Amino acid sequence: MDLKRYLETTKSLIDKALDAYLPPGDKEPKSLHRAMRYSVFPGGKRIRPIIVLASAEACGALKGALPAACAVEFVHTYSLVHDDLPAMDDDDYRREKPSCHRKFGEANAILAGDGLLTLAFNIIASDMPPSIAASAAKELSGAIGTFGMVGGQAADIESQDKKKSPKELERINRLKTARLFEASSKLGAITAKSDGRKTKALSDYGERLGMAFQAVDDILDGDGSVKLFGDARARLYARDLIEKAKAALKPFGARAEKLEAIADHVLEQLTT
Ligand code: GRG
């Protein structure tokens, strides 16, 4: 399979859908809508929505997964916009351009994040069949709420000036990063109305891939587990997680070829 081509075509499919969902920049309140669009485009890797689509495809039902994929990307973008705020990470740049609050002001950046988060759940309620919308909303809100991403961010802030134990670091990474990956693969299963065994397999895949993704990010930044264990052990840890993520895909056989290639691709960031 040509992964590069798959990622490119899927990204452009996702970008088109994201564009269609976003309010036009010339509609009032213009600066708010422009701040939302500015944060979504041009995007990053779009790995989370790609995982939604590839997971649905592995379950044999790609059709209908695009709304869930867009909801996940809007949630991810909201988290980046809010994470960059002065009260959080205080970053002036995101994806090589001024962060949302640097460009549109703090109030607009807070509201743009709020708008993106709200849009995500509106899409689930409006564009997913009623029979699965509730479980999709439950999964996504659970992954990003106080027992998920928001809780992880709070724990991270609380422990900022303290030395984190390996266990605490793992817990924060699981909540801050891996839960949204897990929700992404599970949303693919939910939209495909997959059975319990396959849903659990995809849940394990997403969680392990998310942990690996964070480990790779830490290795590239010399942060997190690298500070605790050193570069060599952090690399072994990331590799092991990728192997475990791929092992979870067993029930899918050849249908999981894209998910497998995505997992390998995450690890390849360390060698390219
Ligand atoms: C502020 C509610 C709130 C949550 C913040 C996700 C998050 C929690 C903070 C972002 C900062 C961070 C280091 C998160 C860890 C996950 C991560 C590596 C995010 C970056 O995701 P990519 O690489 O970004 O997929 P692109 O630009 O490709 O979309």
Side-chain angles (χ1 to χ4, degrees):
M1 198 218 11
D2 185 345
L3 181 71
K4 197 164 168 261
R5 212 181 123 72
Y6 169 70
L7 294 177
E8 269 166 24
T9 51
T10 310
K11 226 176 122 169
S12 80
L13 180 85
I14 291 163
D15 280 1
K16 243 188 228 156
L18 292 171
D19 183 43
Y21 275 128
L22 279 165
D26 59 4
K27 248 207 173 137
E28 296 291 352
K30 285 181 193 161
S31 49
L32 176 58
H33 292 149
R34 283 177 188 161
M36 289 165 73
R37 288 187 159 271
Y38 175 85
S39 305
V40 175
F41 294 111
K45 297 174 286 297
R46 309 280 196 228
I47 186 166
R48 295 160 191 80
I50 290 172
I51 289 168
V52 177
L53 298 182
S55 298
E57 196 178 346
C59 296
L62 172 61
K63 214 172 146 267
L66 206 47
C70 290
V72 165
E73 186 63 11
F74 285 139
V75 162
H76 167 62
T77 311
Y78 128 75
S79 79
L80 299 181
V81 170
H82 280 193
D83 189 58
D84 288 339
L85 288 167
M88 301 267 177
D89 235 21
D90 195 9
D91 275 318
D92 287 344
Y93 289 90
R94 167 70 56 188
R95 296 174 181 153
E96 282 148 26
K97 59 179 197 178
S99 45
C100 187
H101 67 276
R102 294 295 300 175
K103 177 90 179 168
F104 293 92
E106 229 176 303
N108 273 324
I110 292 169
L111 294 170
D114 294 340
L116 290 165
L117 173 62
T118 311
L119 178 58
F121 286 93
N122 186 265
I123 291 168
I124 290 176
S126 308
D127 283 358
M128 288 184 74
S131 58
I132 55 171
S135 62
K138 185 177 172 189
E139 175 56 33
L140 187 57
S141 60
I144 67 175
T146 56
F147 297 112
M149 184 177 75
V150 166
Q153 179 80 346
D156 199 15
I157 290 169
E158 228 165 79
S159 68
Q160 223 151 46
D161 298 319
K162 298 176 203 148
K163 201 174 170 314
K164 285 191 247 321
S165 70
K167 237 185 164 160
E168 179 62 1
L169 180 66
E170 196 172 68
R171 194 180 81 86
I172 289 172
N173 290 343
R174 177 161 290 114
L175 296 178
K176 251 184 94 167
T177 307
R179 279 295 278 117
L180 189 55
F181 274 74
E182 185 188 349
S184 303
S185 50
K186 272 181 96 173
L187 282 171
I190 290 169
T191 53
K193 298 187 177 139
S194 168
D195 65 30
R197 192 173 73 107
K198 285 187 175 159
T199 306
K200 170 75 172 84
L202 283 172
S203 164
D204 289 344
Y205 166 83
E207 203 254 348
R208 293 165 190 175
L209 183 67
M211 292 301 285
F213 184 88
Q214 184 61 60
V216 166
D217 198 63
D218 284 346
I219 292 163
L220 296 175
D221 291 348
D223 201 6
S225 53
V226 179
K227 274 195 190 143
L228 278 181
F229 306 118
D231 185 80
R233 269 183 72 187
R235 279 171 192 264
L236 279 177
Y237 174 67
R239 183 157 302 132
D240 182 54
L241 282 164
I242 290 295
E243 284 314 311
K244 286 183 172 141
K246 290 198 291 180
L249 297 173
K250 234 183 171 159
F252 297 95
R255 275 197 161 160
E257 133 187 90
K258 283 167 185 153
L259 291 172
E260 257 180 60
I262 291 166
D264 285 331
H265 179 69
V266 165
L267 199 61
E268 274 160 22
Q269 313 293 320
L270 292 178
T271 49
T272 50

